[in-house]
Amino acid sequence: MALFSIFPRRKTFDHGIYPVEHKELTADKPIRRMPFAPELVIPLEQHKGKPAIPTVRVGQEVVRGEPIAEADGHVSVPMHAPATGVIRDIALAPTAAGPKALAIYLKVYQAASQRVLFDSAPDLAAMSRAELVAAVQQAGLVGLGGAAFPSHVKLVPPEGRTIETVLVNGCECEPYLTCDHRIMLEQTAALVRGIQLVLRATGAERAVIGVEDNKLDAVEHLRREIPADLPITAEAVQSKYPQGAERMLIKSLTGREVPVGGLPADVGVAVYNVGTLAQMGDLLPKGQGLIERVVTVSGPGVERPGNFMVPVGTPLRFLLEQVGLKESFGEVILGGPMMGMAVASLDVPVTKAVSGVVVLEREDLDLAERKVYPCIKCGACVEACPISLNPSVLGELAQVRDYAVMAEHYHLDQCFECGCCAYVCPSNIPLTQYFRIAKAINREDK
């Protein structure tokens, strides 16, 4: 605790909201392994940056863990075979975002043992910082909290910046999702190893794991299991949405504010998701690549919600068949209901970025389809916005398509689309959707 005494006692941020959590559906469900689908679809673009480049050909047999696509430059990561099988095709596949994208179709050998047969355990202790960063990239690691930003890029701060503190994000503030909760309880040793590797690579002095206080069992478990001689502490923060956003967590745990247009490194901090670091701590010592991840499958539209270790590339249709998709289902959301994306096709595969699959029933959608009324200037959206924007004014500008004005004068680009403003709006104005459209159009006009 002495290491943490330099931080202020206040462990929250200004504004935010308190949505119904629904975590009781899966919080006590241990991680179970999902069966292999007959065919996996591995998109080459499931991370921020350039898509990976295929290194296999149609008809080629591959073993589980074998590299099948290489990184295209620094801000990119390779892909590895999630199963032993044969490459059936390299073609366009449906994505959650809408447009089809290039993917590798892998026909799984159902009779194979599906052990990881491609690895090369390195001597991590002898690695330099640069070699460690390269190993993280070769493992195909990205942010598993949903952002999917290549993990190795954050290990090297911009020139002139120094990382003093690593913040480990175990908040999991989205309703329904509990995969990070289970990782902290079940994969603690791997998580601690991952944190140690990041401390080495960044040169940071300490690490703090931030966990919302609706998961105090995880806080207590971590405090018991973390060796006393390590500069790692676990701290409870207030359960409030969006506590897990980088800027909010930095504010809560350090009291520092990332400047407008800046990065966490500007205040001496690097932020990693617990799932990312648990995978890092598991994969790097074995010299293996990221081929699966923990996913929460929950919501009123499934019969057997739970937390599952899912091979990357598993089609949603197969995944939902395993948990009992109800006939009354109405919408499938990748991620959480606040920031997640509804899919138009169940042929969309699970990617590295998918932390949850939430299934709503049709009657839930009927309740959500409410009439939109004019803004009544109540200010609820302003009170809710965690980064102190004025969603009311931004919404009015969006309705008259003054998108450039939104960006130039009202900081539209600072909005990270958390959905707080739309959640509290008594007029049911879809503010978040307005802002997404505005930002997309502004990007096209540049």
Side-chain angles (χ1 to χ4, degrees):
M1 295 294 291
L3 285 171
F4 196 73
S5 62
I6 63 168
F7 294 146
R9 292 182 178 276
R10 188 181 184 209
K11 305 224 173 36
T12 190
F13 61 95
D14 295 330
H15 307 297
I17 59 174
Y18 302 89
V20 180
E21 295 177 343
H22 298 295
K23 293 181 183 286
E24 70 284 351
L25 295 172
T26 57
D28 62 348
K29 301 288 179 66
I31 300 167
R32 293 185 292 148
R33 184 164 291 280
M34 181 65 61
F36 288 89
E39 185 170 79
L40 302 176
V41 184
I42 304 104
L44 296 169
E45 185 176 8
Q46 41 183 306
H47 54 264
K48 294 292 191 295
K50 290 185 177 182
I53 302 171
T55 55
V56 291
R57 67 184 185 280
V58 175
Q60 180 177 336
E61 292 184 313
V62 295
V63 297
R64 190 166 188 236
E66 181 177 348
I68 56 176
E70 63 184 7
D72 184 10
H74 182 58
V75 187
S76 182
V77 296
M79 302 295 165
H80 302 77
T84 295
V86 61
I87 305 300
R88 184 184 68 79
D89 202 359
I90 301 174
L92 295 176
T95 67
K100 290 187 175 184
L102 198 63
I104 296 173
Y105 288 77
L106 174 61
K107 183 179 179 181
V108 177
Y109 287 162
Q110 295 295 316
S113 68
Q114 297 304 345
R115 291 175 52 202
V116 177
L117 299 174
F118 194 98
D119 55 25
S120 179
D123 183 0
L124 291 178
M127 281 187 174
S128 65
R129 283 190 188 178
E131 290 170 333
L132 194 55
V133 171
V136 171
Q137 182 178 24
Q138 287 306 308
L141 286 164
V142 301
L144 299 184
F149 190 78
S151 300
H152 67 280
V153 177
K154 296 194 331 188
L155 292 175
V156 183
E159 189 174 350
R161 303 289 187 272
T162 301
I163 302 301
E164 303 166 2
T165 303
V166 171
L167 297 186
V168 186
N169 188 348
C171 291
E172 197 165 45
C173 57
E174 277 269 11
Y176 288 106
L177 304 190
T178 60
C179 57
D180 287 350
H181 186 183
R182 298 311 310 178
I183 286 170
M184 289 185 283
L185 293 175
E186 299 181 47
Q187 299 179 2
T188 316
L191 172 59
V192 172
R193 282 196 300 271
I195 295 172
Q196 290 178 282
L197 289 171
V198 168
L199 288 174
R200 267 188 58 199
T202 60
E205 299 174 356
R206 62 184 65 83
V208 183
I209 309 172
V211 186
E212 282 195 325
D213 57 18
N214 59 1
K215 295 178 276 291
L216 289 177
D217 58 336
V219 177
E220 294 166 2
H221 174 78
L222 290 167
R223 287 175 175 171
R224 285 195 306 268
E225 297 298 319
I226 295 171
D229 61 340
L230 294 181
I232 305 172
T233 58
E235 297 295 332
V237 295
Q238 184 181 358
S239 295
K240 181 168 65 170
Y241 181 84
Q243 185 72 259
E246 273 192 346
R247 290 171 179 266
M248 278 60 260
L249 188 60
I250 292 169
K251 174 68 175 178
S252 296
L253 287 175
T254 72
R256 303 171 188 173
E257 294 193 19
V258 178
V260 174
L263 299 169
D266 294 332
V267 292
V269 172
V271 184
Y272 286 87
N273 172 263
V274 292
T276 307
L277 297 192
Q279 286 279 11
M280 189 182 296
D282 181 50
L283 297 176
L284 258 64
K286 296 183 286 191
Q288 295 177 0
L290 178 61
I291 56 175
E292 58 189 5
R293 64 154 300 151
V294 183
V295 178
T296 299
V297 186
S298 189
V302 297
E303 295 175 354
R304 297 179 296 278
N307 296 292
F308 303 93
M309 184 66 79
V310 181
V312 171
T314 301
L316 287 178
R317 190 181 307 279
F318 178 86
L319 176 73
L320 294 174
E321 285 173 356
Q322 306 307 305
V323 298
L325 181 64
K326 295 181 181 179
E327 292 184 2
S328 58
F329 90 93
E331 190 168 74
V332 177
I333 299 170
L334 295 187
M338 295 300 297
M339 292 188 69
M341 184 176 296
V343 296
S345 168
L346 294 185
D347 295 324
V348 169
V350 170
T351 65
K352 296 178 183 182
V354 176
S355 56
V357 178
V358 178
V359 183
L360 303 178
E361 292 187 292
R362 282 191 289 271
E363 63 182 30
D364 298 317
L365 300 180
D366 292 339
L367 291 173
E369 291 176 358
R370 298 170 294 180
K371 184 177 178 180
V372 176
Y373 295 94
C375 175
I376 60 172
K377 312 295 184 185
C378 66
C381 58
V382 177
E383 287 297 317
C385 181
I387 52 175
S388 300
L389 299 180
N390 190 326
S392 175
V393 171
L394 285 166
E396 290 181 340
L397 290 169
Q399 287 180 311
V400 295
R401 302 184 181 182
D402 276 343
Y403 303 135
V405 174
M406 294 169 68
E408 293 169 8
H409 299 287
Y410 293 95
H411 308 290
L412 171 67
D413 292 337
Q414 293 302 303
C415 170
F416 59 93
E417 302 168 21
C418 66
C420 288
C421 53
Y423 184 86
V424 300
C425 179
S427 296
N428 306 321
I429 301 171
L431 293 164
T432 309
Q433 287 86 336
Y434 287 175
F435 304 158
R436 283 177 181 163
I437 293 169
K439 289 198 286 185
I441 292 174
N442 283 345
R443 283 194 297 268
E444 290 176 1
D445 290 342
K446 285 184 179 179

